[in-house]
Amino acid sequence: VYFKRDGEPIEATPLPEPPVGASSWAPRNLLLRDLDDTKVPKSLAADGGPGVGIPPPTAEPPRGLAAERDSVTESIPETVVSREFPRWVHMAEPIYYFRHTHAPVSDGTVEARATLTWTLNPQIDNEALFSCEVKHPALSMPMQSEVTLVAPKGPKITMTPTRARVGDTVRILVQGFQNEVFPEPLFTWTRVGSRLLDGSAEHDGKELVLERVPAELNGSMYRCTAQNPLGSTDTHTRLIVFENPNIPRGPEDSNG
């Protein structure tokens, strides 16, 4: 198994094979949420499946809740969050660690796994292409898998229903990005200048659900922050709430 970065072989320090039965292949958290934005996230472990040493690219975004045309919601352009790195972050070549293990399977075959681990540096790892090549006598030609590490850019947000009325349940969803993003980013929703409808300060996940929206939310703006260890980006959308003829108006409006 050979790992390469931008087509060049990677010189990695081999690590000993863990004891049999040791659980060493659990995916590692790629982003520590309590880190300050100027801190470099700790590590990225590229743990592939049998015969593959690189994780698969980010899955395609869900295709439900497709954006309808003639949306009345206002889309605010993306804001890229600037990142200032402390002086101790250097452009030095990272130190890679390599681990290759073999595990027998009940059907008589052997599962081989390879992992490349290093400390991520957003200054040099963003848009870096990592590939893994596997050679074996049983293969007529080497197998190869590759992935590019990229920070999120240009989140695509949809809101349903596109014409929200008082009392509707509104769903705001991140459907994807203008680029292929890896590692998979984390999403945080906030309401600009106020708390969310349920009283919380923020919400995590690709989708923000607003149950039975009141008229008071008309014009409210929501910010979605997408962040992975290589960078972060903000995008905003404004909620427009229309009157609902099925909901009776208050007595003060009876003569209006």
Side-chain angles (χ1 to χ4, degrees):
V1 180
Y2 304 90
F3 285 101
K4 296 180 180 180
R5 175 186 176 128
D6 295 327
E8 298 295 330
I10 293 176
E11 295 183 5
T13 302
L15 295 176
E17 187 167 335
V20 177
S23 177
S24 62
W25 296 101
R28 304 178 66 174
N29 185 12
L30 297 180
L31 179 63
L32 303 180
R33 299 190 59 81
D34 55 350
L35 281 179
D36 183 86
D37 194 47
T38 59
K39 302 298 187 295
V40 178
K42 297 300 181 182
S43 65
L44 168 69
D47 176 13
V52 178
I54 287 289
T58 305
E60 291 187 3
R63 297 182 180 179
L65 299 177
E68 301 179 15
R69 294 185 176 181
D70 301 326
S71 172
V72 297
T73 57
E74 178 184 357
S75 180
I76 284 74
E78 169 196 10
T79 301
V80 177
V81 179
S82 62
R83 300 175 62 86
E84 295 182 1
F85 297 95
R87 294 179 180 178
W88 49 262
V89 175
H90 301 290
M91 300 292 287
E93 189 70 20
I95 300 176
Y96 298 98
Y97 297 94
F98 175 77
R99 173 171 285 166
H100 194 190
T101 65
H102 300 80
V105 186
S106 58
D107 61 1
T109 61
V110 175
E111 180 179 273
R113 292 188 176 189
T115 299
L116 184 70
T117 307
W118 74 99
T119 300
L120 266 179
N121 184 341
Q123 292 176 304
I124 60 177
D125 284 331
N126 191 31
E127 299 186 356
L129 173 64
F130 285 83
S131 59
C132 174
E133 188 176 277
V134 178
K135 297 180 180 180
H136 191 272
L139 298 174
S140 58
M141 59 185 300
M143 297 178 62
Q144 181 170 309
S145 179
E146 62 184 28
V147 67
T148 302
L149 307 185
V150 183
K153 296 178 182 178
K156 300 177 182 178
I157 291 184
T158 61
M159 183 182 299
T160 56
T162 55
R163 187 179 176 89
R165 299 185 301 181
V166 174
D168 285 348
T169 294
V170 176
R171 300 177 183 273
I172 312 176
L173 174 69
V174 179
Q175 283 199 316
F177 298 89
Q178 293 178 357
N179 61 335
E180 291 289 335
V181 179
F182 187 85
E184 176 73 19
L186 298 177
F187 303 92
T188 303
W189 296 89
T190 55
R191 179 183 173 190
V192 178
S194 184
R195 289 183 171 268
L196 297 174
L197 184 58
D198 61 2
S200 60
E202 61 182 37
H203 171 76
D204 296 331
K206 275 190 174 182
E207 185 179 52
L208 175 65
V209 179
L210 305 174
E211 299 280 355
R212 297 183 297 276
V213 295
E216 290 76 16
L217 286 187
N218 183 36
S220 56
M221 185 179 293
Y222 296 86
R223 176 192 297 117
C224 178
T225 300
Q227 179 177 347
N228 72 2
L230 298 168
S232 62
T233 183
D234 284 351
T235 190
H236 301 74
T237 188
R238 191 183 301 275
L239 174 63
I240 307 299
V241 183
F242 294 87
E243 292 185 1
N244 191 337
N246 298 323
I247 298 180
R249 308 174 74 179
E252 67 278 3
D253 296 330
S254 58
N255 296 326

